[in-house]
Amino acid sequence: MPRTKKPAKRTTAARTKPKRPTKAELPAHARVILRGLKKDYPVAVCELTHESPFQLLAATILSAQCTDARVNMTTPALFAAYPTAQAMALADIAHVEQLVKSTGFYASKAKNLIGMANAVMSRFGGEVPTAIEDLVTLPGVGRKTANVVRSVVFDLPGLPVDTHVLRLSKRLGLTREEDPVKVEHELNALLPPKEWGEFSLRLILHGRRICDARKPKCGECRLASLCPSRQ
Ligand code: SF4
């Protein structure tokens, strides 16, 4: 009778989760993650519809607590009525509120849109500024929005940290920080500036498709072999 082979024992490496990278290992860890994300998401583009820096700035303000798809349903009518900072600065707030109502928090968003447009007109000659120090002085604009505008329309270094980037960075062992600004600085230190914007976009895509907040699909995740949080 043929002897049956004992099933091979699963190795310890196969059973155990990858360890968190040490500080010294972090740059290499980040590069491997970047390579993996590039394979799964070769094209990383901002999904907010826009035709100018002003329109992307306005759309990003509207995207707070709202999906890109919902914002993209709202902005055609908004930009038809107020396509530029000059037009938005003179807008009637009740009309803007009505146009952006479906994005939520519409009263403060309408106020910020008109305030942002007025600031762009009065302090920056009608042109959206490119420096992060200037962008964050505009109403409704924090570092995340400023970095979206810098990286997407100006092709400047900028790594927006939204809820997906924050969650995935922690799960993947790239940071232990909770504060988005600290996370941004830590990630910036690990990757070349030219990669910052698309790294953020790719993490967002991975967060939406695979690494869900409640039910991450670790079995389908290309990064599972190096993720200390894999389930
Ligand atoms: S899906 Fe799982 S393995 Fe992949 S990054 Fe998220 S937690 Fe890690």
Side-chain angles (χ1 to χ4, degrees):
M1 246 180 99
R3 289 172 62 187
T4 51
K5 263 189 183 174
K6 280 186 185 171
K9 276 188 182 172
R10 291 178 70 199
T11 63
T12 309
R15 274 185 275 123
T16 55
K17 280 186 195 177
K19 283 193 182 135
R20 280 189 80 86
T22 63
K23 200 170 175 190
E25 291 166 344
L26 271 176
H29 183 65
R31 283 196 298 275
V32 180
I33 289 170
L34 176 63
R35 275 203 297 276
L37 289 172
K38 279 185 174 178
K39 282 184 188 150
D40 279 353
Y41 313 103
V43 179
V45 289
C46 172
E47 290 177 347
L48 291 170
T49 309
H50 60 279
E51 289 180 359
S52 66
F54 164 75
Q55 291 189 1
L56 179 61
L57 189 48
T60 311
I61 288 172
L62 291 176
S63 72
Q65 311 288 322
C66 183
T67 63
D68 289 358
R70 167 60 58 191
V71 173
N72 288 340
M73 285 182 226
T74 307
T75 46
L78 180 71
F79 296 151
Y82 309 110
T84 61
Q86 191 174 21
M88 184 71 80
L90 301 172
D92 171 56
I93 191 156
H95 187 219
V96 177
E97 283 181 1
Q98 183 199 329
L99 289 170
V100 304
K101 195 162 192 169
S102 65
T103 67
F105 304 97
Y106 64 93
S108 62
K109 286 181 181 177
K111 191 171 160 213
N112 283 334
L113 287 177
I114 295 174
M116 174 274 282
N118 272 292
V120 167
M121 292 307 296
S122 62
R123 291 196 278 120
F124 300 104
E127 300 290 332
V128 172
T130 58
I132 195 146
E133 298 77 13
D134 292 331
L135 281 161
V136 295
T137 66
L138 300 171
V141 180
R143 282 190 76 88
K144 186 193 86 174
T145 300
N147 279 321
V148 169
V149 171
R150 276 173 61 80
S151 58
V152 174
V153 281
F154 295 128
D155 204 19
L156 291 168
L159 199 159
V161 177
D162 76 344
T163 178
H164 296 292
V165 175
L166 188 61
R167 180 177 74 257
L168 269 72
S169 300
K170 288 196 301 183
R171 284 181 175 172
L172 286 162
L174 291 168
T175 182
R176 290 180 189 271
E177 294 290 349
E178 298 286 340
D179 174 44
V181 177
K182 288 183 182 166
V183 173
E184 180 195 328
H185 291 314
E186 289 203 346
L187 296 179
N188 284 350
L190 298 175
L191 294 163
K194 67 180 171 55
E195 302 284 0
W196 293 353
E198 290 193 358
F199 184 69
S200 167
L201 287 169
R202 289 184 169 110
L203 280 183
I204 291 168
L205 289 171
H206 198 60
R208 285 181 182 156
R209 293 181 191 166
I210 303 287
C211 192
D212 181 76
R214 285 187 209 150
K215 284 191 181 171
K217 299 176 194 143
C218 301
E220 297 173 32
C221 179
R222 181 188 287 280
L223 307 176
S225 63
L226 47 91
C227 177
S229 310
R230 96 173 167 214
Q231 294 174 15

